[in-house]
Amino acid sequence: MTRLNHYEALGLRSDASPEQIEKAYHFFASMYEEAAVATYSLLDVDEQRDVRAHIRQAYEVLRDPEQRQGYDRSLAERPPVPEPPRPAEPRPQPPAEPRPVEAPPAAPALRFLPEPVTGDSLRRAREERRVTLREIAGATKIGVRFLEYIEADRHRDLPAVVYIRGFVQQYARYIGLDPRQTADSYLKRVRS
Amino acid sequence: MSELAQRAPSRPRRQIWSIGGGKGGIGKSLLTAALGWQLARMGKRVILVDADLGGANLHTCMGLRSPERTLGDFIRRRFERIEDVLVETGVPLLRLISGASDFLGAANIKYQQKVRVLNRIRSLEVDVVLLDLGAGTSYNIVDFFLISDVGLLTVVPEPTSIENAYRFIKSALYRRLRNAARNEEVRQLVEAALDAKNPQGIRTPLDLLRVVEQRHPEEAALFKHEVATFRPSFVVNQVREDVDAAIGHQLVAACARHLGVHSTYVGFVHYDEAVWRSVRQRRLFIADAPRARAAEDVARLARVLLQGETLPLPW
């Protein structure tokens, strides 16, 4: 399958409503299930899985108003020919245009870290993107101290699990990682 | 001509619609008969043509006994005029050209001959010609499909039926590309693509196009045009649940993304006991029970097709 952008992947127009995004996601998710009649004879199991991941990724971005905004901006900046997911270097900042602090600095394609996600793997992903903790703290209003605890796996020094989830999700989103998968995986180690 | 027919539909007159699908036993003939009945009721002059080579039984679906004159007789010039093999069905505006099993003898008719036959049928006083194609993906079937203005692909929500529909699409498209190719090497490439285990690794029309672009860029534009103008339309039959009806949309999406083929979804017909009851009495369900669910589905399909529309996506 040629690389589709998130809207194309879900068969949506760029002005799609949240309800349309939900419906489209469920439609395509069931279309690419392993036993789905429409695709099992066209794709092998690995191809189906890749497409499912792509669709999931598109959905995660588009259903979150904040991420969607950032994504829309990056689409507008993107050259007309769609590109494969970008490597980890940060995208050059447009010179004069002021950007809201929440804007993720990197490419829109969300990455998944290998499991289990640890404080150390988060730090490495962040450093690859050349993002400082201070930058994340400024954008997310999470104290630098807590971000350091997350990277150091000092779970006991962090507040309740629900807060950690929120912190990790925001951290992940800022450096272009899939927020849900990152937080789910990180929290597994917090609880045990 | 009735008033209804004069209220111009967006499609031009004298249309040929074929009903294929690759697999047997999925309701092609019944759908053809019901669609024809419905169109006639809407004021269209309709001719049903039984092009099912092996198992012609469209007449049975219409509650008729095997007609004495068939399309085979015309092809073998036993009758000079196409009118001579045209049979009344008892339904106003609805007539039939029977295939009957002896059509098998004419199985190797050439492409140009098929075009000639269809043009003779088209020359009759008619608004819509409905071609009931048989099962399989033989040249005869695929050619009639390609000559048609609208190619309907009937599927039921089952893996085997959908596999066959994809196979049908590939066969039809490759046949079309092969006919269009001007270069002998490209023609051979298309023929190679028909073999699923071809050494070039061509699995889909998209792969084929890529290879042609590399080796014969001068043919690529023609290929793209042929692919873009090949527009099969899906009908999902025997729908039992909502998810079954959604399969039509999934097929359209899958064809576009993984085969590079732009299809449309024009309708679905519910599984309905009323159909069965009528079939067993050799009667047409849509005439017996026009308020039955399946009958209303066919009516909607007829409207969608006359307007040249497609079903809207569920979001």
Side-chain angles (χ1 to χ4, degrees):
Chain A
M1 189 163 78
T2 36
R3 192 76 193 173
L4 304 173
N5 76 33
H6 289 346
Y7 290 101
E8 291 162 347
L10 295 178
L12 292 168
R13 290 178 8 171
S14 57
D15 60 354
S17 69
E19 199 198 338
Q20 289 174 318
I21 292 169
E22 287 296 319
K23 283 187 176 163
Y25 170 67
H26 289 290
F27 173 87
F28 283 106
S30 72
M31 173 172 159
Y32 288 102
E33 276 169 16
E34 216 172 288
V37 286
T39 57
Y40 83 91
S41 62
L42 295 178
L43 304 178
D44 63 35
V45 179
D46 291 339
E47 289 169 324
Q48 278 181 322
R49 199 195 43 227
D50 289 349
V51 179
R52 277 202 304 273
H54 183 194
I55 283 164
R56 177 83 205 174
Q57 201 180 62
Y59 170 63
E60 294 286 355
V61 171
L62 296 187
R63 74 167 175 172
D64 179 318
E66 217 174 279
Q67 286 191 66
R68 182 175 172 184
Q69 225 179 15
Y71 181 71
D72 288 348
R73 258 195 305 271
S74 72
L75 272 188
E77 287 166 15
R78 198 189 280 200
V81 180
E83 287 179 324
R86 298 179 68 86
E89 322 90 74
R91 169 186 287 261
Q93 299 276 336
E97 195 185 317
R99 299 165 68 113
V101 280
E102 294 85 1
L110 290 179
R111 292 193 308 141
F112 292 79
L113 285 183
E115 309 226 0
V117 172
T118 65
D120 200 46
S121 62
L122 283 175
R123 182 183 53 75
R124 273 183 279 121
R126 171 178 66 76
E127 285 172 357
E128 268 176 35
R129 297 231 160 182
R130 287 169 214 157
V131 173
T132 63
L133 284 184
R134 194 166 295 280
E135 219 181 310
I136 301 180
T140 60
K141 310 290 181 236
I142 301 169
V144 173
R145 191 164 47 105
F146 287 130
L147 298 174
E148 282 169 354
Y149 291 160
I150 288 171
E151 288 191 351
D153 283 326
R154 284 170 60 176
H155 305 146
R156 278 180 210 178
D157 296 321
L158 285 163
V161 168
V162 283
Y163 292 105
I164 304 179
R165 174 179 287 280
F167 290 174
V168 174
Q169 281 182 345
Q170 290 189 63
Y171 178 116
R173 188 173 299 149
Y174 195 85
I175 62 170
L177 298 174
D178 182 87
R180 172 173 291 201
Q181 181 257 352
T182 308
D184 283 351
S185 178
Y186 187 89
L187 286 179
K188 271 183 210 152
R189 293 176 57 259
V190 173
R191 290 198 192 94
S192 57
Chain B
M1 195 164 145
S2 84
E3 206 190 312
L4 256 173
Q6 278 174 353
R7 232 175 284 149
S10 50
R11 286 190 191 282
R13 285 175 46 208
R14 294 177 197 270
Q15 288 264 307
I16 296 179
W17 301 356
S18 59
I19 293 98
K23 191 174 181 301
I26 55 172
K28 285 186 296 291
S29 297
L30 264 182
L31 184 67
T32 308
L35 193 56
W37 188 92
Q38 176 63 32
L39 289 167
R41 203 173 76 146
M42 293 166 83
K44 303 292 169 203
R45 295 163 303 176
V46 181
I47 296 176
L48 305 174
V49 179
D50 197 340
D52 192 340
L53 304 180
N57 54 13
L58 195 51
H59 55 274
T60 311
C61 294
M62 293 301 302
L64 302 171
R65 291 188 182 278
S66 185
E68 282 170 19
R69 299 172 172 196
T70 69
L71 188 57
D73 292 330
F74 173 73
I75 289 170
R76 267 172 280 141
R77 300 178 188 268
R78 211 168 283 162
F79 295 102
E80 273 307 305
R81 301 171 340 130
I82 191 79
E83 289 91 333
D84 293 335
V85 294
L86 201 55
V87 191
E88 295 293 332
T89 63
V91 178
L93 301 180
L94 184 60
R95 292 177 291 173
L96 170 74
I97 295 176
S98 175
S101 42
D102 70 342
F103 192 45
L104 252 183
N108 286 324
I109 52 175
K110 296 221 163 58
Y111 184 83
Q112 278 314 317
Q113 217 174 341
K114 284 169 221 164
V115 173
R116 186 184 68 89
V117 169
L118 285 189
N119 280 339
R120 291 293 291 274
I121 295 172
R122 209 198 285 259
S123 73
L124 294 166
E125 283 292 305
V126 66
D127 296 309
V128 183
V129 176
L130 288 181
L131 278 183
D132 177 18
L133 304 179
T137 54
S138 69
Y139 285 160
N140 269 326
I141 291 168
V142 162
D143 282 347
F144 279 128
F145 190 82
L146 290 175
I147 296 165
S148 305
D149 301 294
V150 176
L152 296 176
L153 276 179
T154 313
V155 298
V156 296
E158 289 165 18
T160 45
S161 163
I162 285 159
E163 268 181 47
N164 283 357
Y166 286 143
R167 196 168 303 141
F168 189 96
I169 286 176
K170 282 190 206 171
S171 305
L173 181 57
Y174 289 159
R175 173 83 166 159
R176 182 176 172 133
L177 292 174
R178 196 203 159 280
N179 287 346
R182 291 165 299 199
N183 178 313
E184 183 53 34
E185 229 175 275
V186 172
R187 206 169 293 144
Q188 281 168 9
L189 215 51
V190 178
E191 271 162 21
L194 275 169
D195 175 6
K197 289 174 187 157
N198 63 80
Q200 291 89 346
I202 299 170
R203 278 170 57 195
T204 70
L206 283 174
D207 298 335
L208 177 62
L209 185 61
R210 220 167 289 137
V211 176
V212 171
E213 265 174 341
Q214 278 166 12
R215 299 194 198 166
H216 300 277
E218 76 285 355
E219 290 272 278
L222 175 73
F223 256 55
K224 279 186 185 156
H225 172 78
E226 291 296 319
V227 174
T229 48
F230 175 69
R231 297 266 170 129
S233 302
F234 286 106
V235 179
V236 181
N237 197 15
Q238 297 173 17
V239 163
R240 288 163 207 258
E241 301 167 19
D242 288 349
V243 291
D244 294 342
I247 285 174
H249 292 297
Q250 295 186 341
L251 295 175
V252 171
C255 281
R257 291 175 178 206
H258 308 299
L259 299 178
V261 169
H262 293 282
S263 57
T264 56
Y265 183 27
V266 289
F268 54 86
V269 182
H270 280 92
Y271 179 85
D272 192 334
E273 291 295 333
V275 175
W276 244 146
R277 280 194 295 272
S278 299
V279 165
R280 293 173 72 160
Q281 299 173 41
R282 291 202 301 126
R283 296 166 63 94
L284 189 57
F285 69 94
I286 196 166
D288 266 1
R291 310 303 307 168
R293 210 174 181 193
E296 296 199 329
D297 292 337
V298 171
R300 183 162 77 135
L301 172 65
R303 283 195 302 273
V304 167
L305 286 171
L306 281 177
Q307 297 299 328
E309 295 171 353
T310 60
L311 293 191
L313 278 167
W315 59 82

